[in-house]
Amino acid sequence: MIPLSERVRPKEFSEIINQVHLVGEGGPLFEMVKNKRIFSFVMWGPPGTGKTTIARVITKASEYTLKQISATSSGIKDVKKIVDEAELFKKMNGKDTVLFIDEIHRFNRAQQDFLLPYVEKGTVVLIGATTQNPSFGIIPPLLSRLRLFVLKPLQKKDIITILKRALHIDKVFSGFKPEKMDEILEDIADYSQGDARKALNMLEELTNFVKDSGLPIKDVYKRVVAGKILLYHRSEDHYTMISAFHKSIRGSDVEASVYYLRRMLLSGEDPYYILRRMVRIASEDIGLADRIALDITLKAKEAYEFLGSPEGELAILEAVVYLSLAPKSNTLYKMEKDTDKLIKETGNLKIPMHIINASTALMKKLGYGKDYKYPHNFKGHVIKEDYLPQGIKHISIFNPEDIGEEKDIKLRWENIKRILKDE
């Protein structure tokens, strides 16, 4: 049976909820339909806000032919087939084809590059839909050729409106009384978190359960709706949540750090994605101040690999607490940036010959490795030597701080510099 979300999908702009700025009179998409001329564009918005519906309505109203694919299950071969068909169709009928790609951010760079010439030539009109920031998910050359339209998130009242509309227009609800379902609809709206498709699927699941069990809907809905965790949309909150997590650890707020960790894990986030960020935090924000932090994070990864979920998640939590409470230092991070800046400014300088191994007789004859001083032959195993290329003599890119274990490293570095200065 066709899902409820498909059966009650709006057929015209006037039925689309909360996107008046795009589809209402005077809106850019309304004007496209009015002029019956569609330009390539991409829609960015949370799941279940009407992106697919808009693509279908605008294509039909403008009398274009629609070809729809999902980037999660399609590739260049599928696009090439549609492009070839579009070229032939236009030659025979004089009509344009709209290529609608759902989750377009899931296409890799090569797949997106493949689209470019066909969008430029107008072989197809491209309509993309994405739940992720297009600046991150779509390559700049393609994004520059698309108009960007941002869809507004659906509010609780919008979801309730959509649910009530479904109750009135779909025959499957003929035995239900919408006026007695206000509390249930509010619960479903809360659960859906602004995703109309999710809300409609829940409503359908609930009514099917009622029909199968023969029980009153009030006795059934808590089994279906109540107790479900309000999950965040990974595609929408993926980056904002990890950012909040990272900054909480950096700010040494252990409670906020654990809160965001658990919120991500309960919402289905990939634990390895979180662990990868934790490894970065251990180096970027803690670094030399606590050299055990990186080791503990990697051990948490090993423990999770060994145990899996949910048991292994406790090891991740332990590492998060450690990272949050560890002394913080960004010495390594600053050193990385300063070194990159130095290299860009000085270019590809020649490495001193005396520190290059003379691996052939010819290299030895030319002077490679000549007069190299072996540090272990000298007091303290330190000897003044020119390791950097000519043109880089006086630099200061390693500046450890008086914090945590980094104090010891600072003392060691100052001692080395003193030895070299006295020679």
Side-chain angles (χ1 to χ4, degrees), residues 108-384:
N108 60 35
R109 174 173 288 275
Q111 291 168 318
Q112 292 188 37
D113 278 334
F114 183 80
L115 288 167
L116 276 174
Y118 302 109
V119 175
E120 283 184 328
K121 291 187 296 183
T123 307
V124 292
V125 175
L126 175 62
I127 298 179
T130 179
T131 53
Q132 293 188 8
N133 188 328
S135 300
F136 301 126
I138 302 178
I139 60 173
L142 181 58
L143 187 59
S144 68
R145 290 161 175 80
L146 303 173
R147 295 182 65 180
L148 173 62
F149 299 124
V150 181
L151 276 70
K152 294 180 180 179
L154 296 180
Q155 305 302 314
K156 181 177 179 178
K157 61 180 179 61
D158 300 321
I159 297 295
I160 292 174
T161 298
I162 291 169
L163 292 173
K164 286 184 175 180
R165 177 176 175 270
L167 289 172
H168 280 99
I169 69 174
D170 197 86
K171 294 179 181 179
V172 74
F173 301 111
S174 58
F176 294 86
K177 295 181 179 180
E179 63 275 9
K180 293 186 177 182
M181 293 180 62
D182 288 347
E183 182 184 352
I184 296 172
L185 297 184
E186 287 205 13
D187 281 353
I188 294 175
D190 284 334
Y191 167 76
S192 71
Q193 293 286 281
D195 187 333
R197 186 186 305 106
K198 189 175 184 180
L200 289 166
N201 289 343
M202 175 57 69
L203 179 62
E204 186 169 36
E205 179 185 349
L206 175 62
T207 53
N208 286 340
F209 199 110
V210 170
K211 289 181 177 181
D212 292 341
S213 67
L215 296 172
I217 192 168
K218 291 264 186 181
D219 296 338
V220 169
Y221 91 96
K222 287 185 179 179
R223 303 184 190 182
V224 180
V225 180
K228 286 183 177 290
I229 297 172
L230 298 181
L231 307 182
Y232 77 91
H233 297 300
R234 285 193 63 244
S235 54
E236 177 187 359
D237 289 348
H238 179 71
Y239 294 108
T240 56
M241 199 70 68
I242 200 71
S243 176
F245 173 69
H246 189 152
K247 288 180 174 64
S248 296
I249 295 179
R250 180 185 290 157
S252 300
D253 190 329
V254 64
E255 292 170 332
S257 303
V258 170
Y259 168 81
Y260 288 117
L261 169 70
R262 293 307 303 164
R263 188 166 164 184
M264 286 188 288
L265 289 174
L266 289 172
S267 301
E269 183 59 83
D270 181 3
Y272 290 105
Y273 174 75
I274 299 171
L275 282 162
R276 285 193 293 271
R277 179 59 68 99
M278 289 167 61
V279 170
R280 174 68 185 189
I281 292 169
S283 299
E284 177 183 339
D285 295 294
I286 298 170
L288 300 175
D290 189 338
R291 285 164 288 172
I292 299 176
L294 182 58
D295 188 46
I296 285 179
T297 305
L298 293 173
K299 278 183 166 56
K301 171 182 170 291
E302 291 177 10
Y304 180 77
E305 287 175 342
F306 183 66
L307 293 173
S309 290
E311 290 84 356
E313 292 175 8
L314 195 60
I316 300 176
L317 188 148
E318 180 181 356
V320 167
V321 171
Y322 190 93
L323 295 180
S324 298
L325 297 177
K328 304 299 188 294
S329 168
N330 67 343
T331 296
L332 292 176
Y333 179 73
K334 291 189 292 185
M335 187 179 182
E336 179 186 51
K337 297 298 180 186
D338 290 343
T339 306
D340 290 352
K341 181 181 178 183
L342 174 67
I343 292 169
K344 289 176 182 177
E345 289 174 350
T346 57
N348 191 26
L349 297 178
K350 187 177 179 181
I351 299 171
M353 289 180 65
H354 63 278
I355 61 169
I356 302 176
N357 284 342
S359 54
T360 67
L362 176 60
M363 290 178 71
K364 188 173 183 179
K365 185 178 180 180
L366 292 174
Y368 286 92
K370 184 180 180 182
D371 298 326
Y372 170 64
K373 300 169 187 175
Y374 188 58
H376 296 293
N377 292 336
F378 296 86
K379 182 180 178 181
H381 299 258
V382 175
I383 184 66
K384 189 172 184 179

